[in-house]
Amino acid sequence: MHTVKAIYPGTFDPLTNGHLDLIARGAKIVDELVVAILRNSEKGTPLFTVPEREEMITEAVAGFANVTVMTFDGLLVDFARRQGAKAVLRGIRAISDYEYEFQMAMMNRKLDPELETLFMMPAEKYTYVSSRLIKGVFQLGGDVTALVPSLVVERLKAKVPARVGG
Ligand code: PNS
């Protein structure tokens, strides 16, 4: 039988409802979806450790029978090959995402012409949501409850000291 396995890679610091929306969409069209957290991110110091992120995502995707969570470092194409995945799933929120995503997809294609990148768009209500904005807004005392899973809100509260007003 012909089954399609895809990797949904990212930093996920932290997981947002936009990510979850994409996972739900991806899980409907591929047989197996692996959410893969990059361990050696170049994005500076993360707020959550890799095990913390892995735990949060595992809890958040528990309801999807065909979604698993893993971590990786090195090249995404090498991880995908080791996993026997045929595709990489990425979300595009706005035109501003396109250039970066296009470059990555083309580089990954150069590195492994057999690996396809699938782009999906999250629900409109999440088009402006990013992990970076969530962290920034939460750290300044803003309400992010509609934008991340409640288990992430709890983790944010535990991680980020309450902001004293002023
Ligand atoms: O959530 P992000 O930070 O946008 O995800 C970026 C990610 C993890 C998909 C990307 O940085 C990646 O695949 N890194 C692994 C290293 C790699 O394969 N680099 C070459 C791809 S152009």
mmCIF file of all heavy atoms in Angstrom, residues 146-166:
data_model
loop_
_atom_site.group_PDB
_atom_site.id
_atom_site.type_symbol
_atom_site.label_atom_id
_atom_site.label_comp_id
_atom_site.label_asym_id
_atom_site.label_seq_id
_atom_site.Cartn_x
_atom_site.Cartn_y
_atom_site.Cartn_z
ATOM 1 N N ALA A 146 -6.498 33.149 23.402
ATOM 2 C CA ALA A 146 -7.205 32.657 22.213
ATOM 3 C C ALA A 146 -6.236 32.198 21.131
ATOM 4 O O ALA A 146 -6.652 31.657 20.108
ATOM 5 C CB ALA A 146 -8.104 33.759 21.660
ATOM 6 N N LEU A 147 -4.955 32.392 21.364
ATOM 7 C CA LEU A 147 -3.985 32.185 20.285
ATOM 8 C C LEU A 147 -3.054 31.002 20.470
ATOM 9 O O LEU A 147 -2.347 30.601 19.540
ATOM 10 C CB LEU A 147 -3.143 33.466 20.103
ATOM 11 C CG LEU A 147 -3.959 34.756 19.924
ATOM 12 C CD1 LEU A 147 -3.053 35.960 19.847
ATOM 13 C CD2 LEU A 147 -4.829 34.656 18.671
ATOM 14 N N VAL A 148 -3.038 30.454 21.686
ATOM 15 C CA VAL A 148 -2.218 29.259 21.954
ATOM 16 C C VAL A 148 -3.063 28.270 22.754
ATOM 17 O O VAL A 148 -4.014 28.677 23.427
ATOM 18 C CB VAL A 148 -0.915 29.599 22.752
ATOM 19 C CG1 VAL A 148 0.042 30.449 21.951
ATOM 20 C CG2 VAL A 148 -1.229 30.267 24.075
ATOM 21 N N PRO A 149 -2.727 26.974 22.712
ATOM 22 C CA PRO A 149 -3.476 26.008 23.516
ATOM 23 C C PRO A 149 -3.379 26.382 25.003
ATOM 24 O O PRO A 149 -2.370 26.956 25.432
ATOM 25 C CB PRO A 149 -2.766 24.681 23.246
ATOM 26 C CG PRO A 149 -1.988 24.887 21.994
ATOM 27 C CD PRO A 149 -1.661 26.338 21.923
ATOM 28 N N SER A 150 -4.404 26.035 25.783
ATOM 29 C CA SER A 150 -4.406 26.437 27.194
ATOM 30 C C SER A 150 -3.213 25.847 27.956
ATOM 31 O O SER A 150 -2.691 26.474 28.876
ATOM 32 C CB SER A 150 -5.726 26.063 27.856
ATOM 33 O OG SER A 150 -6.026 24.726 27.587
ATOM 34 N N LEU A 151 -2.767 24.676 27.551
ATOM 35 C CA LEU A 151 -1.611 24.102 28.241
ATOM 36 C C LEU A 151 -0.357 24.941 28.007
ATOM 37 O O LEU A 151 0.543 24.983 28.847
ATOM 38 C CB LEU A 151 -1.388 22.639 27.813
ATOM 39 C CG LEU A 151 -0.985 22.338 26.370
ATOM 40 C CD1 LEU A 151 0.486 22.000 26.263
ATOM 41 C CD2 LEU A 151 -1.816 21.197 25.832
ATOM 42 N N VAL A 152 -0.306 25.649 26.878
ATOM 43 C CA VAL A 152 0.830 26.539 26.615
ATOM 44 C C VAL A 152 0.713 27.808 27.465
ATOM 45 O O VAL A 152 1.711 28.293 28.004
ATOM 46 C CB VAL A 152 0.934 26.883 25.104
ATOM 47 C CG1 VAL A 152 1.983 27.965 24.843
ATOM 48 C CG2 VAL A 152 1.267 25.633 24.294
ATOM 49 N N VAL A 153 -0.526 28.294 27.636
ATOM 50 C CA VAL A 153 -0.731 29.469 28.498
ATOM 51 C C VAL A 153 -0.219 29.153 29.904
ATOM 52 O O VAL A 153 0.498 29.945 30.522
ATOM 53 C CB VAL A 153 -2.229 29.873 28.555
ATOM 54 C CG1 VAL A 153 -2.428 31.043 29.521
ATOM 55 C CG2 VAL A 153 -2.736 30.256 27.180
ATOM 56 N N GLU A 154 -0.567 27.953 30.389
ATOM 57 C CA GLU A 154 -0.122 27.559 31.733
ATOM 58 C C GLU A 154 1.400 27.532 31.825
ATOM 59 O O GLU A 154 1.996 27.987 32.795
ATOM 60 C CB GLU A 154 -0.706 26.191 32.117
ATOM 61 C CG GLU A 154 -2.229 26.187 32.285
ATOM 62 C CD GLU A 154 -2.734 27.351 33.128
ATOM 63 O OE1 GLU A 154 -2.172 27.587 34.211
ATOM 64 O OE2 GLU A 154 -3.682 28.051 32.689
ATOM 65 N N ARG A 155 2.028 26.979 30.792
ATOM 66 C CA ARG A 155 3.499 26.904 30.788
ATOM 67 C C ARG A 155 4.123 28.290 30.704
ATOM 68 O O ARG A 155 5.170 28.537 31.292
ATOM 69 C CB ARG A 155 3.999 26.066 29.599
ATOM 70 C CG ARG A 155 3.579 24.622 29.631
ATOM 71 C CD ARG A 155 4.250 23.897 30.798
ATOM 72 N NE ARG A 155 4.054 22.466 30.691
ATOM 73 C CZ ARG A 155 5.034 21.599 30.429
ATOM 74 N NH1 ARG A 155 6.272 21.996 30.282
ATOM 75 N NH2 ARG A 155 4.782 20.310 30.346
ATOM 76 N N LEU A 156 3.479 29.171 29.940
ATOM 77 C CA LEU A 156 3.994 30.541 29.835
ATOM 78 C C LEU A 156 3.929 31.215 31.197
ATOM 79 O O LEU A 156 4.881 31.873 31.631
ATOM 80 C CB LEU A 156 3.174 31.342 28.818
ATOM 81 C CG LEU A 156 3.508 31.144 27.336
ATOM 82 C CD1 LEU A 156 2.400 31.721 26.453
ATOM 83 C CD2 LEU A 156 4.847 31.780 26.961
ATOM 84 N N LYS A 157 2.795 31.010 31.883
ATOM 85 C CA LYS A 157 2.623 31.630 33.204
ATOM 86 C C LYS A 157 3.691 31.130 34.171
ATOM 87 O O LYS A 157 4.216 31.883 34.991
ATOM 88 C CB LYS A 157 1.237 31.310 33.768
ATOM 89 C CG LYS A 157 0.132 32.128 33.131
ATOM 90 C CD LYS A 157 -1.202 31.788 33.794
ATOM 91 C CE LYS A 157 -2.335 32.520 33.109
ATOM 92 N NZ LYS A 157 -3.637 31.896 33.382
ATOM 93 N N ALA A 158 3.988 29.843 34.085
ATOM 94 C CA ALA A 158 4.972 29.262 34.992
ATOM 95 C C ALA A 158 6.387 29.740 34.660
ATOM 96 O O ALA A 158 7.244 29.873 35.534
ATOM 97 C CB ALA A 158 4.905 27.739 34.907
ATOM 98 N N LYS A 159 6.611 30.018 33.382
ATOM 99 C CA LYS A 159 7.970 30.356 32.928
ATOM 100 C C LYS A 159 8.273 31.840 33.056
ATOM 101 O O LYS A 159 9.383 32.228 33.412
ATOM 102 C CB LYS A 159 8.078 29.894 31.463
ATOM 103 C CG LYS A 159 9.315 30.244 30.715
ATOM 104 C CD LYS A 159 10.501 29.372 31.005
ATOM 105 C CE LYS A 159 10.396 27.936 30.558
ATOM 106 N NZ LYS A 159 11.645 27.201 30.837
ATOM 107 N N VAL A 160 7.276 32.661 32.724
ATOM 108 C CA VAL A 160 7.518 34.102 32.664
ATOM 109 C C VAL A 160 6.995 34.751 33.947
ATOM 110 O O VAL A 160 5.819 34.625 34.258
ATOM 111 C CB VAL A 160 6.811 34.721 31.433
ATOM 112 C CG1 VAL A 160 7.060 36.212 31.349
ATOM 113 C CG2 VAL A 160 7.264 34.022 30.156
ATOM 114 N N PRO A 161 7.845 35.429 34.682
ATOM 115 C CA PRO A 161 7.374 36.058 35.911
ATOM 116 C C PRO A 161 6.296 37.094 35.622
ATOM 117 O O PRO A 161 6.355 37.758 34.582
ATOM 118 C CB PRO A 161 8.630 36.746 36.466
ATOM 119 C CG PRO A 161 9.722 36.495 35.518
ATOM 120 C CD PRO A 161 9.228 35.728 34.349
ATOM 121 N N ALA A 162 5.316 37.172 36.526
ATOM 122 C CA ALA A 162 4.214 38.135 36.327
ATOM 123 C C ALA A 162 4.797 39.539 36.200
ATOM 124 O O ALA A 162 5.694 39.921 36.947
ATOM 125 C CB ALA A 162 3.262 38.059 37.505
ATOM 126 N N ARG A 163 4.270 40.268 35.228
ATOM 127 C CA ARG A 163 4.794 41.610 34.982
ATOM 128 C C ARG A 163 4.145 42.590 35.958
ATOM 129 O O ARG A 163 2.940 42.628 36.121
ATOM 130 C CB ARG A 163 4.482 42.030 33.546
ATOM 131 C CG ARG A 163 5.072 43.374 33.205
ATOM 132 C CD ARG A 163 4.948 43.628 31.725
ATOM 133 N NE ARG A 163 5.565 44.893 31.398
ATOM 134 C CZ ARG A 163 4.903 46.038 31.308
ATOM 135 N NH1 ARG A 163 3.616 46.069 31.522
ATOM 136 N NH2 ARG A 163 5.527 47.145 30.996
ATOM 137 N N VAL A 164 4.999 43.329 36.615
ATOM 138 C CA VAL A 164 4.494 44.359 37.519
ATOM 139 C C VAL A 164 4.146 45.565 36.667
ATOM 140 O O VAL A 164 4.961 46.027 35.876
ATOM 141 C CB VAL A 164 5.560 44.716 38.585
ATOM 142 C CG1 VAL A 164 5.003 45.729 39.578
ATOM 143 C CG2 VAL A 164 6.039 43.472 39.289
ATOM 144 N N GLY A 165 2.913 46.039 36.809
ATOM 145 C CA GLY A 165 2.434 47.113 35.931
ATOM 146 C C GLY A 165 3.215 48.405 36.074
ATOM 147 O O GLY A 165 3.963 48.618 37.010
ATOM 148 N N GLY A 166 3.021 49.287 35.116
ATOM 149 C CA GLY A 166 3.676 50.592 35.216
ATOM 150 C C GLY A 166 4.282 51.021 33.971
ATOM 151 O O GLY A 166 4.316 50.657 32.928
#
